[in-house]
């Protein structure tokens, strides 16, 4: 980004903040995609529910193994796996992190 600001400073036109210019789409910060994996997992879960013709309440009852009316992370993770959602690339650590992000 500094090289862009330096090259832009050589111009005679009025200087506007780079965030307001059309070129701002090119300068995407990494933190803008932090929740992308969580959104993708939610989308996959929606598709899995639709494929099995389950309502969210039916899925909740299926995930709630002990009938407490609340889901712990382990039950939720096991329920997602029961729907057919698997850890990406077989990495259990990444899978646990994605589930925790929800």
């Amino acid at each position: 980004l500094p090289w862009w600001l330096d090259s832009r400073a050589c111009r005679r036109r009025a200087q506007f903040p780079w965030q307001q210019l059309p070129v701002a789409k090119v300068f995407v910060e990494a933190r803008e995609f932090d929740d992308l994996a969580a959104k993708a997992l939610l989308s996959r879960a929606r598709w899995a529910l639709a494929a099995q013709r389950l309502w969210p309440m039916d899925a909740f009852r299926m995930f709630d193994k002990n009938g407490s009316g609340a889901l712990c992370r382990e039950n939720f993770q096991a329920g997602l796996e029961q729907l057919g959602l698997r850890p990406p690339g077989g990495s259990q650590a990444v899978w646990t992190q994605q589930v925790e992000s929800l």
Side-chain angles (χ1 to χ4, degrees), residues 4-21:
W4 171 254
L5 295 175
D6 290 343
S7 64
R8 196 175 63 119
C10 297
R11 303 195 73 153
R12 293 183 186 183
R13 294 182 187 164
Q15 301 293 311
F16 298 104
W18 67 269
Q19 293 90 345
Q20 296 175 358
L21 299 174

Side-chain angles (χ1 to χ4, degrees), residues 16-37:
F16 298 104
W18 67 269
Q19 293 90 345
Q20 296 175 358
L21 299 174
V23 77
K25 296 174 187 170
V26 175
F27 300 120
V28 176
E29 296 183 26
R31 69 173 185 253
E32 291 182 36
F33 297 112
D34 286 346
D35 62 341
L36 190 60

Side-chain angles (χ1 to χ4, degrees), residues 13-93:
R13 294 182 187 164
Q15 301 293 311
F16 298 104
W18 67 269
Q19 293 90 345
Q20 296 175 358
L21 299 174
V23 77
K25 296 174 187 170
V26 175
F27 300 120
V28 176
E29 296 183 26
R31 69 173 185 253
E32 291 182 36
F33 297 112
D34 286 346
D35 62 341
L36 190 60
K39 287 180 180 180
L41 182 57
L42 284 173
S43 178
R44 289 174 55 205
R46 279 190 216 110
W47 278 102
L49 288 173
Q52 295 185 16
R53 295 187 175 154
L54 288 173
W55 289 93
M57 189 64 193
D58 297 331
F60 179 83
R61 288 184 188 127
M62 185 174 69
F63 293 0
D64 188 17
K65 299 293 184 193
N66 57 3
S68 66
L71 288 179
C72 63
R73 184 185 56 80
E74 291 81 17
N75 285 347
F76 184 62
Q77 185 171 345
L80 289 176
E81 291 172 3
Q82 187 177 357
L83 282 176
L85 302 176
R86 300 279 182 248
S91 172
Q92 191 64 31

